[in-house]
Amino acid sequence: MSPVKLYVKSGCKACDRAAAYLTKKEISYERVDILRSPPAKKLLEKAVDAFDPKTSFNARAKGFKDHDIPNATFKTKKEVVDLLRANPDMIRRPLLARGEKAILGFDEADYATFLR
């Protein structure tokens, strides 16, 4: 199995639940601070949903309102990825990565499928 990375932010409850899930399932992982070491552009491209890119944003982030994400119109996935790379606090957390695949947020069923 490829190494697993969990991109988190301190104080994020969903990040804590994801870490607890991985520990419970005895899956070794590297915990990465998403603000200090944002995910690579290529990894974000894999995680962003092309059909609904707004789900890739953390609605509680200050930049979410500053950039008026609810009313934004994104023409390309690249545009979303570039905005998230420039503002890593706006990335929906946690981001779970293995190899060149990644998913955003935490859901036990999604994690179980992703980590098979």
Side-chain angles (χ1 to χ4, degrees):
M1 181 190 295
S2 301
V4 175
K5 286 188 178 185
L6 185 66
Y7 289 85
V8 300
K9 180 180 174 188
S10 179
C12 169
K13 302 248 188 261
C15 297
D16 293 342
R17 287 193 308 273
Y21 173 85
L22 294 173
T23 300
K24 177 182 168 187
K25 297 293 184 181
E26 298 180 353
I27 297 170
S28 62
Y29 64 95
E30 177 184 353
R31 190 177 180 107
V32 181
D33 183 317
I34 201 165
L35 300 180
R36 289 190 180 148
S37 299
K41 185 174 185 174
K42 193 173 188 177
L43 198 56
L44 273 177
E45 287 170 350
K46 299 288 184 180
V48 171
D49 182 347
F51 297 107
D52 192 3
K54 291 180 186 180
T55 63
S56 304
F57 289 89
N58 173 5
R60 293 183 179 151
K62 183 182 182 299
F64 188 82
K65 289 181 183 174
D66 292 348
H67 288 87
D68 194 22
I69 300 302
N71 298 311
T73 303
F74 297 106
K75 294 180 176 124
T76 65
K77 190 178 195 178
K78 180 187 180 313
E79 188 179 357
V80 174
V81 169
D82 289 346
L83 180 58
L84 290 172
R85 288 271 305 147
N87 303 277
D89 191 46
M90 289 197 318
I91 300 170
R92 183 174 167 212
R93 295 176 298 272
L95 184 145
L96 180 66
R98 186 176 75 184
E100 292 185 15
K101 296 181 180 180
I103 58 171
L104 294 165
F106 174 65
D107 178 83
E108 277 192 35
D110 290 344
Y111 271 41
T113 301
F114 182 80
L115 293 166
R116 274 192 219 157

